Amino acid sequence: MTIERIETGTRMSRIVKHNGTIYLCGQVCKDAEQGITEQTQTMLDKVDALLEQAGSDREHILSATIYVKDMSYFAEMNAVWDAWVSDGHAPARACVAAKMAREALLVEISVVAAEKS
């Protein structure tokens, strides 16, 4: 039962793989000066890139936890999410309002996925 850590720093690893399961660290947007739609899209683009690096893709996501700064962004965030999730491959998901690490951040996601066979 080997644990593989990818892009490991002092505080965290960007990817951890164990027993066919991939854990991504929390992902935020590319540009926090943008609105919720753009922040959500660039956040999901980063998830796509990390999953590919780890040997997976969005169709293999098992669960996602989404943190939004304020639930007033919920519908706009969901519009991007719904377009991104492949039909028939929606993961288990939770979405909560949370205080963000930086004031400008509006959304963050934590993902657990299975490796592609």
Side-chain angles (χ1 to χ4, degrees):
M1 289 196 209
T2 303
I3 298 173
E4 180 183 359
R5 300 175 196 282
I6 302 170
E7 295 187 37
T8 300
T10 303
R11 183 170 292 153
M12 66 185 171
S13 298
R14 287 179 54 102
I15 302 168
V16 175
K17 295 170 71 173
H18 178 260
N19 216 17
T21 305
I22 298 163
Y23 304 85
L24 302 183
C25 68
Q27 295 300 304
V28 296
C29 63
K30 186 174 181 178
D31 180 0
E33 298 306 314
Q34 298 296 317
I36 187 65
T37 297
E38 295 82 4
Q39 284 197 28
T40 303
Q41 186 59 61
T42 60
M43 172 190 75
L44 295 174
D45 292 344
K46 289 168 73 175
V47 168
D48 279 332
L50 288 172
L51 287 173
E52 182 178 343
Q53 181 181 350
S56 190
D57 59 28
R58 69 178 81 158
E59 292 184 358
H60 288 79
I61 295 175
L62 302 172
S63 70
T65 303
I66 301 172
Y67 307 91
V68 292
K69 182 174 183 173
D70 189 290
M71 281 298 174
S72 66
Y73 298 117
F74 187 72
E76 291 174 273
M77 179 276 300
N78 270 331
V80 178
W81 171 266
D82 292 344
W84 182 78
V85 173
S86 302
D87 286 343
H89 295 279
R93 190 187 102 163
C95 184
V96 298
K99 186 169 174 89
M100 297 293 162
R102 291 181 295 164
E103 185 62 31
L105 293 173
L106 303 177
V107 63
E108 182 172 349
I109 191 169
S110 179
V111 169
V112 176
E115 285 184 292
K116 287 196 279 189
S117 304

